[in-house]
Amino acid sequence: MVSGRMIADHVALAARYVRSADLRRDLDDPEALEGYVVTATVREAVQRVARGLRPGSRQRAFRITGPYGVGKSSVALLLARLFRGNADALALVEACLPAGAALPRYEPVVLTGRRASFVDDLLDALEAAAQQFGAAPIVEIVGAARSGRDKAAQALAALETLAAYLQAERDCGLLLFVDEMGRYLEFAASHPRLEDPSVFQALAERASGGGENPLAVIALLHHRFSDYVAGLGEWIEAEWSKTAERYEEVSFRESVELSMISDSLVSGLASSISRITTRPWSL
């Protein structure tokens, strides 16, 4: 006998499994990491970035590289909330961090890549962040950079100035996330007169070096740097490869075993629903 009830009354999927993560949108959402599974790949990414951001480190520029849909934005969200000091993120990864280790605090600033000038978008993000943190002098610096002769250099200088402000006023650093960075790379490679491609190398170098540098960078990409300029000539590809070396690569690819398990679960659920919906059933 068929009751009048629906399968949806008894089967539900968590919200995080029906939409992709958006780093900027979900940054302040307290439920964004609900149900997040920390895999071995996620643990390794967290551990490597945590080592890079520890006091005294000389490498604070990373590129998380992996195919579309593998979860790069989700792990970036985890990292952003973790270094911001959110308890939900710490609870997820506490077991894979050294016992008693105190994580440094970083305020995240997020850019979402598009086929446009990275420098222009960076200035917009810095202006918004400076207003949020009450750093009026930095708003003025950003305004001057927009009309400056060397806009890229002035934008990076403004980035460092905001990081230094956060260190002095809030006892934390600035962690710049560049999601979909490949789109910025493609624009710079195809419009060298509008965007100096060396800005990406300079960005990584600003986040490196000794001392208590309050600036760090995490870029998210689908491919290697050189793949975005493939076909433009060996010299250009070599220059982009040199830029890529300034960023420590964190390869983000889940294991074949995990992918097979996930596919099996999805197939099993689909098969079960198919049987239920094609046969009479009752509760």
Side-chain angles (χ1 to χ4, degrees):
M1 181 180 75
V2 179
S3 76
R5 306 183 70 178
M6 305 292 292
I7 296 174
D9 295 331
H10 306 278
V11 179
L13 294 176
R16 66 166 293 100
Y17 298 110
V18 296
R19 66 176 177 87
S20 59
D22 184 292
L23 185 52
R24 180 179 293 173
R25 179 196 65 205
D26 297 335
L27 186 59
D28 297 312
D29 182 355
E31 299 180 357
L33 293 176
E34 192 172 294
Y36 187 72
V37 178
V38 179
T39 64
T41 303
V42 173
R43 286 197 299 271
E44 182 182 0
V46 170
Q47 289 168 348
R48 289 181 62 182
V49 173
R51 284 196 298 270
L53 300 190
R54 71 186 187 277
S57 171
R58 302 181 66 87
Q59 176 61 41
R60 297 184 184 85
F62 299 87
R63 52 188 169 103
I64 299 178
T65 309
Y68 178 81
V70 77
K72 298 186 300 297
S73 294
S74 293
V75 77
L77 177 62
L78 173 65
L79 290 167
R81 293 181 66 84
L82 178 64
F83 289 101
R84 203 183 202 182
N86 291 94
D88 58 345
L90 181 60
L92 284 170
V93 302
E94 196 167 14
C96 66
L97 297 173
L103 290 174
R105 281 193 60 247
Y106 283 82
E107 280 289 347
V109 172
V110 178
L111 269 70
T112 302
R114 60 195 184 103
R115 288 179 175 270
S117 167
F118 166 75
V119 171
D120 287 343
D121 282 2
L122 176 60
L123 288 171
D124 288 342
L126 290 177
E127 183 175 24
Q131 291 173 345
Q132 175 188 346
F133 301 133
I138 296 166
V139 175
E140 296 178 5
I141 293 173
V142 169
R146 293 185 191 280
S147 57
R149 296 185 60 183
D150 191 348
K151 188 162 59 173
Q154 291 186 23
L156 294 180
L159 177 65
E160 285 188 307
T161 303
L162 180 57
Y165 172 88
L166 290 173
Q167 185 180 50
E169 298 296 326
R170 295 177 173 239
D171 193 26
C172 65
L174 188 157
L175 179 51
L176 177 67
F177 286 90
V178 188
D179 199 1
E180 298 284 359
M181 189 178 192
R183 294 175 181 173
Y184 288 129
L185 299 180
E186 290 172 346
F187 179 85
S190 57
H191 300 84
R193 293 185 179 181
L194 299 178
E195 185 94 296
D196 185 350
S198 68
V199 67
F200 302 102
Q201 179 176 329
L203 173 64
E205 291 171 349
R206 298 286 180 115
S208 303
E212 299 302 315
N213 190 336
L215 175 64
V217 178
I218 296 179
L220 309 178
L221 303 103
H222 297 315
H223 311 289
R224 299 172 301 173
F225 271 59
S226 57
D227 291 340
Y228 292 99
V229 294
L232 296 182
E234 292 183 3
W235 182 85
I236 294 178
E237 291 181 30
E239 286 297 306
W240 280 96
S241 294
K242 184 174 67 174
T243 296
E245 292 172 1
R246 300 298 195 276
Y247 295 80
E248 180 177 337
E249 182 173 22
V250 178
S251 182
F252 201 81
R253 290 173 173 81
E254 292 293 4
S255 67
V256 174
E257 292 81 2
L258 183 61
S259 298
M260 291 174 64
I261 291 172
S262 300
D263 290 343
S264 176
L265 288 172
V266 171
S267 298
L269 178 60
S271 177
S272 298
I273 291 176
S274 176
R275 289 197 300 273
I276 291 171
T277 55
T278 57
R279 298 178 183 176
W281 62 287
S282 61
L283 297 177

